[in-house]
Amino acid sequence: MLRAPLAPACLLAALLCAGIRAARVNKHKPWIETTYHGIVTENDNTVLLDPPLIALDKDAPLRFAESFEVTVTKEGEICGFKIHGQNVPFEAVVVDKSTGEGMIRSKEKLDCELQKDYTFTIQAYDCGKGPDGASAKKSHKATVHIQVNDVNEYAPVFKEKSYKATVIEGKRYDSILRVEAVDADCSPQFSQICSYEIVTPDVPFAIDKDGYIKNTEKLNYGKEHQYKLTVTAYDCGKKRAAEDVLVKISIKPTCKPGWQGWSKRMEYEPGTGSLALFPNIHLETCDEPVTSVQATVELETNHIGKGCDRDTYSEKSLHRLCGASSGTAELLPPPSNTANWTVGLPTDNGHDSDQVFEFNGTQAVKVPDSVVTVNMKEPFVISVWMRHGPGSREKETILCNSDKTDMNRHHYSLYVHNCRLVFLFRQDPSEGQSYKPAEFHWKLNQVCDKEWHHYVLNVELPAVTLYADGVSFDPFPVTEDYPLHPSRIESQLVVGACWQGGEHRMAQFFRGNLAGLMIRSGKLENKKVIDCLYTCKEGLDLQMAEGASKSLKIQMNPSQSVLTLEGDDIDQFEKAMQHISYLNSRQFPTPGIRRIKITSAVKCSSEEACMAIPFVDGYVMVLQPEEPKISLSGINHFARSASEFEGPEGVSLFPELRIISTITREVEPEGDGDEDPTVQESLVSEEIMHNLDTCEVTVVGEELNQEQETLEVDLVRLQQKGMEISSSNLGVIITGVDTMASYEEVLHLIRYRNWHATALFDRKFRLVCSELNGRYVSNEFKVEVNVIHTANPVDHASHIAAQPQFVQPVHHSFVDLSGHNLANPHPGFSVVPSTATVVIVVCVSFLVFMIILGVFRIRAAHQRTMRDQDSGKENEMDWDDSALTITVNPMETYEDQHSSEEEEEEEEEESEEGEEEDDITSAESESSEEEEGEHEEDQQNVSRHQQLEWDDSTLTY
């Protein structure tokens, strides 16, 4: 019974003995973690690892078997750790072999500043041996990362031994200079500089955490020339710099940055090309570290003409010069004899610039029906210059075509409404009854900015394009409407308002200024023509050598009134500014002031504006151009037979007309005029060439009777030259921009015809030419044409019939100094037939002879009386003259008188002969008349001499 329980106990003991024997065999490798992270401080050698360094081995005894008496063998113990790597300043030691605990420590003093971290591998090995007697078993290799923690062992050190800066008095700086310190510690905590401090007390400066020093108040050079500051630094470990640094800030008297070396007034002489505006300009930066400069130069010309200086020819002429198609109707022409509907409108009356018309809300003009012949079914163009300010909310009509009577329908109109430009076009009834685009709106700032703008409307339905100052705009919105109902009511075209035919009054008056209102059908304006019409003749210019402006950014607006420069090279920037010039390409520019303004911005190294550059405000004075004197000269008095006037060619009015233009210049004397005050400047007249745009031939006296007389010109020749002609009962007007030579050629072709010349005695005409829309006007050249009524040759003697058709009367005439104009001093003189002229000449000669004879007798009697009185006085003398013998030569007095009379008669004869030669025309000669006059004068002289000889009997010897 007792032996049964002992059997299991024996079995257990046997198993333990077998296990102990088996444990002595080293079957397993040690085991460690795969990765370890450690931290070690510079002043310590023990590394704190995570996780802890522990090696495990399955050969070690089980912990639950500790209660048994067993003998632990070496095969379960960890004998050591091995570190793999080159120059690893660490070692691994076993703290407890049985538990496998170990540690890593440094073999030498670590320096974070030299190396902040280390990486290597570690391996554990046990103490046992294998059954075959092999060495101890090793674990796998684990990676170890160790970071060396910093110790705040270094103090901050400034990069410079001292710092210097210069500032200008009276200015607050955001930053004057920067001091900078560094720390040799390796960690961010101890190597970063967390703060700076000005140690010197009571100074008007402050320093921020980044080391930037600025002044806390405006500095005064008179109070202190230089400040010396002591500055220290702290790292983030509160360690102060080993040595403080000295900062010297010098105060400089006030320096005013800005542009220097420019003139406020610059004079531009017309015709001299470009004028350098700033030839000596330079930028004073007051020693600031400037990194970039930007300058904008503005030329203000809004007060000149229509926004700037342009050619002041008529709008029709400008369209022709720019290449626009012909057939343009000018709705606001300058008032003239043929275009007088604008007479009542207020104008600026400025011949120096453009003529503009003012509409104050009460004026409007009706355009004659014959002026506009526009077919609205074809494309057409409306162009106008307009200046308009913010107005009322009512419609303000620029151009309106509406019913003349009965109704108030608007066929087409251009108007302003709430700062919108609106074009209304009601299509023709023949287009059908469907909706069609009728109103086109443009919302533009230019409409109400009180400045001049150029508008061109290209209408090609259903599309309408607006060009404002050369820039195209599409309409928005576009509203539709039905076409107008058919009617036979005529339409009325009005400028400045809209005619209400049903109420017989004007409505929707315009308030503003208009100029150059044109309408033309058949062809749209292209962009080139539009740009030509808008382009200014004056502006800014910049001419630099090739490659000199590579470092600059240059921008110019289309009107060349704003020029912007930007660059970082100050020297190149100044050179570019010195090459900016003003240019006016007009031969006769509009005189006056053009203001110049320069706005600048400067950046320094901080990429911000470091100084304020005052703007430059100057002006260009465009001087008055030397006014040309346009002179018309030629034959101003001639006669033709009645048959020539009645012939198909008529009579040429200006056969030898010449047009010249001169200017008078002051020429300084050669040498030094200051030394000789008697030397004066001389005036020199120079002939110049320029264009003309108008010549007007008007009749003096009664208007032309269209039933029997007319002025004609070769229309084909006129059209070839691009000129136009308009005629009326007052005369003709030729318009178009062309040379003076071309106008001479055209005026030579003007002929006067009269179908009833037998009833005509004379006709007078006046010619005036002008340039630039009336800015320069020529002299009035008057021509008098006489009609020669020739009698039947049978009624005259043979020697009389041989006389010329026209005999000039023997009268003194005024000769023009130019040698071309022969002014007639006797406008009422009548040309008579040849026989009557000879009779009158003979009678007048006889009358003159009798008068001279009578005068001579009176003078002779008077002299005889005076001699008798002298003889009486001599007899009363007291002295004795008995011994004297006095002989008087009676011819002495006669010769003196006769010689003086002959001199007077010779002068009169020379004057008469000179004037008679000047009065000779290309068609007639008066040599026969001069010979008769000389023969009669010789007879008169003989008669006078004989009369004196007959009267010598009364003389005393």
Side-chain angles (χ1 to χ4, degrees):
M1 296 290 296
L2 293 174
R3 292 180 179 178
L6 292 176
C10 292
L11 181 60
L12 179 60
L15 291 173
L16 286 173
C17 291
I20 292 172
R21 285 194 299 269
R24 292 179 181 178
V25 179
N26 192 9
K27 297 181 179 180
H28 303 283
K29 296 179 180 180
W31 178 89
I32 58 176
E33 298 287 344
T34 58
T35 304
Y36 294 91
H37 294 274
I39 298 175
V40 62
T41 307
E42 281 182 316
N43 57 1
D44 194 4
N45 64 348
T46 301
V47 179
L48 298 178
L49 289 176
D50 181 27
L53 182 58
I54 298 177
L56 300 178
D57 195 333
K58 291 183 179 181
D59 293 328
L62 298 175
R63 292 188 180 276
F64 62 84
E66 288 180 357
S67 59
F68 296 93
E69 294 182 1
V70 294
T71 301
V72 179
T73 61
K74 291 183 179 180
E75 286 79 2
E77 295 180 351
I78 301 301
C79 282
F81 296 93
K82 185 177 181 180
I83 293 177
H84 300 275
Q86 294 181 355
N87 301 323
V88 178
F90 295 96
E91 62 179 359
V93 296
V94 179
V95 177
D96 188 345
K97 291 184 178 182
S98 60
T99 59
E101 182 182 356
M103 64 176 295
I104 298 176
R105 60 190 179 188
S106 62
K107 297 186 294 183
E108 56 189 41
K109 186 178 180 180
L110 301 177
D111 191 347
C112 176
E113 287 71 33
L114 295 178
Q115 189 168 349
K116 293 182 180 181
D117 52 40
Y118 298 87
T119 300
F120 52 88
T121 58
I122 191 172
Q123 192 176 30
Y125 59 92
D126 57 17
C127 299
K129 296 181 180 180
D132 54 354
S135 61
K137 293 191 177 293
K138 299 178 181 179
S139 69
H140 61 274
K141 293 180 180 180
T143 303
V144 180
H145 301 282
I146 297 178
Q147 179 180 343
V148 181
N149 278 354
D150 188 24
V151 175
N152 194 6
E153 56 184 328
Y154 294 100
V157 177
F158 286 94
K159 288 185 175 181
E160 304 289 340
K161 293 182 178 181
S162 64
Y163 293 88
K164 295 180 181 180
T166 302
V167 296
I168 301 174
E169 65 173 345
K171 183 179 178 181
R172 294 283 294 267
Y173 290 85
D174 294 332
S175 174
I176 297 175
L177 78 162
R178 183 188 183 190
V179 297
E180 188 175 1
V182 294
D183 195 312
D185 290 313
C186 67
S187 64
Q189 180 182 3
F190 301 127
S191 64
Q192 291 184 354
I193 307 300
C194 282
S195 63
Y196 293 90
E197 181 182 348
I198 297 177
V199 181
T200 306
D202 301 326
V203 289
F205 298 95
I207 189 170
D208 61 11
K209 63 182 182 64
D210 296 322
Y212 291 100
I213 298 176
K214 65 179 181 178
N215 57 322
T216 56
E217 62 184 44
K218 293 182 179 180
L219 305 178
N220 191 340
Y221 178 80
K223 181 179 179 181
E224 194 74 37
H225 292 357
Q226 188 183 66
Y227 288 90
K228 296 181 179 179
L229 312 177
T230 301
V231 178
T232 190
Y234 294 90
D235 62 16
C236 294
K238 301 298 182 181
K239 195 164 189 174
R240 182 173 174 172
E243 293 183 5
D244 298 337
V245 71
L246 178 64
V247 179
K248 296 180 181 180
I249 300 178
S250 300
I251 311 303
K252 189 178 180 180
T254 303
C255 174
K256 297 181 179 179
W259 294 103
Q260 298 181 0
W262 56 276
S263 301
K264 186 175 183 65
R265 175 189 172 97
M266 295 150 281
E267 292 187 352
Y268 179 78
E269 185 176 352
T272 57
S274 60
L275 170 67
L277 297 177
F278 321 107
N280 301 314
I281 198 170
H282 70 276
L283 181 62
E284 176 59 58
T285 60
C286 298
D287 298 330
E288 290 286 348
V290 175
T291 57
S292 65
V293 183
Q294 180 181 5
T296 300
V297 183
E298 298 180 54
L299 175 67
E300 297 181 2
T301 60
N302 293 336
H303 61 289
I304 302 296
K306 298 190 290 287
C308 66
D309 209 2
R310 297 180 174 89
D311 283 331
T312 57
Y313 294 117
S314 66
E315 197 68 20
K316 183 179 292 187
S317 297
L318 290 175
H319 277 245
R320 188 181 300 111
L321 289 175
C322 289
S325 302
S326 59
T328 302
E330 192 170 6
L331 304 185
L332 286 177
S336 63
N337 294 330
T338 57
N340 57 3
W341 64 88
T342 58
V343 173
L345 288 177
T347 65
D348 63 345
N349 293 322
H351 285 170
D352 287 343
S353 59
D354 301 325
Q355 188 177 46
V356 301
F357 296 89
E358 179 183 356
F359 295 84
N360 60 8
T362 60
Q363 302 111 330
V365 293
K366 293 182 178 180
V367 181
D369 297 338
S370 60
V371 174
V372 179
T373 57
V374 175
N375 184 0
M376 291 303 169
K377 294 183 179 180
E378 298 179 357
F380 64 96
V381 178
I382 298 176
S383 65
V384 65
W385 285 94
M386 182 179 71
R387 179 170 60 187
H388 181 266
S392 62
R393 295 185 178 181
E394 299 178 356
K395 293 182 179 180
E396 299 179 43
T397 302
I398 302 170
L399 175 68
C400 179
N401 183 275
S402 58
D403 289 333
K404 185 176 291 188
T405 58
D406 298 339
M407 292 188 289
N408 300 328
R409 300 180 305 170
H410 296 178
H411 297 258
Y412 65 89
S413 66
L414 182 65
Y415 61 90
V416 175
H417 187 211
N418 290 333
C419 292
R420 294 175 181 265
L421 191 64
V422 183
F423 176 65
L424 169 69
F425 185 84
R426 300 291 299 277
Q427 297 193 35
D428 192 86
S430 61
E431 298 296 329
Q433 296 299 321
S434 61
Y435 273 107
K436 299 288 185 180
E439 279 194 359
F440 305 84
H441 298 249
W442 292 271
K443 178 67 174 177
L444 300 175
N445 296 329
Q446 295 92 320
V447 175
C448 293
D449 64 358
K450 295 183 179 180
E451 301 290 346
W452 279 107
H453 297 285
H454 184 237
Y455 302 91
V456 176
L457 209 63
N458 275 345
V459 181
E460 189 175 15
L461 295 177
V464 178
T465 304
L466 173 68
Y467 289 88
D469 297 337
V471 181
S472 62
F473 296 90
D474 292 326
F476 181 80
V478 177
T479 59
E480 296 182 344
D481 201 350
Y482 283 109
L484 293 176
H485 296 291
S487 68
R488 297 182 179 180
I489 302 175
E490 296 182 352
S491 61
Q492 176 65 60
L493 184 62
V494 176
V495 177
C498 203
W499 174 252
Q500 303 293 97
E503 303 170 6
H504 296 282
R505 66 180 183 89
M506 294 286 186
Q508 302 175 7
F509 286 95
F510 180 76
R511 296 174 180 84
N513 298 99
L514 297 176
L517 180 56
M518 312 283 290
I519 187 168
R520 177 173 52 81
S521 65
K523 186 178 180 181
L524 301 180
E525 297 285 21
N526 57 48
K527 187 66 167 57
K528 184 178 180 180
V529 173
I530 295 173
D531 291 340
C532 175
L533 294 172
Y534 174 71
T535 301
C536 296
K537 295 294 184 179
E538 64 178 342
L540 300 173
D541 190 23
L542 177 59
Q543 297 291 338
M544 295 187 66
E546 185 177 355
S549 60
K550 289 184 178 180
S551 61
L552 299 176
K553 184 179 180 181
I554 303 174
Q555 293 181 343
M556 181 86 77
N557 69 334
S559 61
Q560 293 186 323
S561 61
V562 179
L563 174 63
T564 301
L565 301 177
E566 186 175 357
D568 52 9
D569 190 331
I570 304 300
D571 293 336
Q572 291 293 332
F573 196 93
E574 290 180 349
K575 290 181 180 179
M577 291 291 293
Q578 294 170 2
H579 283 80
I580 296 177
S581 60
Y582 168 80
L583 178 63
N584 195 317
S585 60
R586 293 190 64 192
Q587 187 176 10
F588 305 107
T590 304
I593 290 176
R594 276 75 161 166
R595 296 201 172 275
I596 297 288
K597 185 177 181 180
I598 302 178
T599 306
S600 307
V602 176
K603 291 184 179 181
C604 296
S605 56
S606 60
E607 296 297 331
E608 296 180 358
C610 55
M611 69 178 74
I613 305 297
F615 66 86
V616 173
D617 189 8
Y619 63 92
V620 177
M621 173 58 73
V622 179
L623 302 179
Q624 180 76 35
E626 294 175 342
E627 184 171 343
K629 181 181 179 182
I630 306 173
S631 301
L632 309 179
S633 60
I635 301 175
N636 64 349
H637 187 192
F638 59 91
R640 296 290 184 271
S641 63
S643 60
E644 293 187 40
F645 287 93
E646 296 174 352
E649 296 296 329
V651 175
S652 176
L653 290 181
F654 313 105
E656 298 183 14
L657 177 71
R658 188 181 177 206
I659 306 175
I660 62 172
S661 181
T662 57
I663 59 174
T664 302
R665 298 182 183 271
E666 292 184 357
V667 179
E668 297 182 358
E670 296 182 358
D672 192 356
D674 298 335
E675 298 178 357
D676 188 359
T678 62
V679 177
Q680 298 181 353
E681 294 181 347
S682 59
L683 299 179
V684 177
S685 181
E686 298 179 1
E687 183 174 349
I688 63 171
M689 301 300 297
H690 59 79
N691 293 330
L692 297 177
D693 60 358
T694 302
C695 279
E696 183 174 3
V697 181
T698 55
V699 61
V700 179
E702 296 181 359
E703 297 181 0
L704 293 174
N705 186 352
Q706 301 292 342
E707 296 180 357
Q708 68 178 26
E709 58 183 343
T710 183
L711 289 173
E712 297 179 351
V713 68
D714 190 345
L715 296 179
V716 176
R717 197 73 166 272
L718 203 67
Q719 292 175 355
Q720 289 176 352
K721 293 185 174 295
M723 298 182 184
E724 295 183 359
I725 186 172
S726 58
S727 59
S728 66
N729 293 337
L730 300 176
V732 296
I733 299 178
I734 300 175
T735 57
V737 180
D738 212 326
T739 63
M740 293 184 291
S742 294
Y743 266 91
E744 278 186 7
E745 182 180 347
V746 171
L747 291 172
H748 289 168
L749 302 177
I750 294 181
R751 302 180 304 276
Y752 171 67
R753 290 184 61 196
N754 193 306
W755 298 277
H756 302 285
T758 55
L760 179 66
F761 190 67
D762 62 2
R763 209 63 162 115
K764 299 175 183 178
F765 300 91
R766 179 175 58 246
L767 171 65
V768 176
C769 295
S770 64
E771 161 71 336
L772 293 174
N773 205 17
R775 180 176 176 182
Y776 301 116
V777 183
S778 71
N779 62 307
E780 288 188 356
F781 179 64
K782 295 182 179 179
V783 173
E784 180 179 351
V785 182
N786 298 115
V787 181
I788 300 176
H789 301 279
T790 305
N792 193 340
V794 178
D795 299 335
H796 303 283
S798 60
H799 68 281
I800 298 296
Q803 298 297 322
Q805 292 180 347
F806 176 76
V807 180
Q808 286 284 2
V810 183
H811 288 289
H812 296 288
S813 62
F814 301 99
V815 181
D816 191 359
L817 296 178
S818 65
H820 299 282
N821 292 343
L822 302 175
N824 182 18
H826 307 288
F829 175 77
S830 302
V831 179
V832 296
S834 303
T835 305
T837 303
V838 174
V839 173
I840 291 175
V841 170
V842 173
C843 294
V844 170
S845 299
F846 181 77
L847 179 62
V848 171
F849 169 75
M850 295 302 295
I851 292 173
I852 293 174
L853 181 61
V855 171
F856 178 78
R857 286 181 174 275
I858 294 172
R859 293 177 65 182
H862 177 70
Q863 291 173 359
R864 188 165 56 251
T865 303
M866 293 299 295
R867 282 195 294 273
D868 292 340
Q869 293 176 358
D870 291 341
S871 298
K873 292 179 181 180
E874 289 174 358
N875 294 331
E876 295 175 359
M877 293 296 178
D878 294 335
W879 63 76
D880 184 10
D881 56 357
S882 59
L884 295 175
T885 301
I886 300 173
T887 303
V888 178
N889 185 0
M891 297 304 294
E892 210 168 17
T893 304
Y894 163 73
E895 289 175 357
D896 293 338
Q897 296 174 353
H898 184 65
S899 63
S900 63
E901 291 173 357
E902 286 181 346
E903 291 176 356
E904 294 176 359
E905 291 173 357
E906 288 174 0
E907 290 178 357
E908 293 176 354
E909 290 174 1
E910 291 175 359
S911 176
E912 291 172 355
E913 290 174 0
E915 293 178 358
E916 288 170 354
E917 290 175 359
D918 290 341
D919 288 339
I920 295 176
T921 65
S922 59
E924 298 172 328
S925 173
E926 300 176 3
S927 59
S928 60
E929 180 184 355
E930 292 176 0
E931 292 175 358
E932 288 182 3
E934 292 174 358
H935 179 68
E936 291 173 359
E937 289 173 357
D938 293 338
Q939 292 179 352
Q940 293 174 7
N941 293 335
V942 172
S943 301
R944 293 172 190 165
H945 184 66
Q946 291 175 353
Q947 180 66 36
L948 289 176
E949 292 179 348
W950 295 339
D951 293 341
D952 60 358
S953 60
T954 60
L955 298 175
T956 60
Y957 293 91

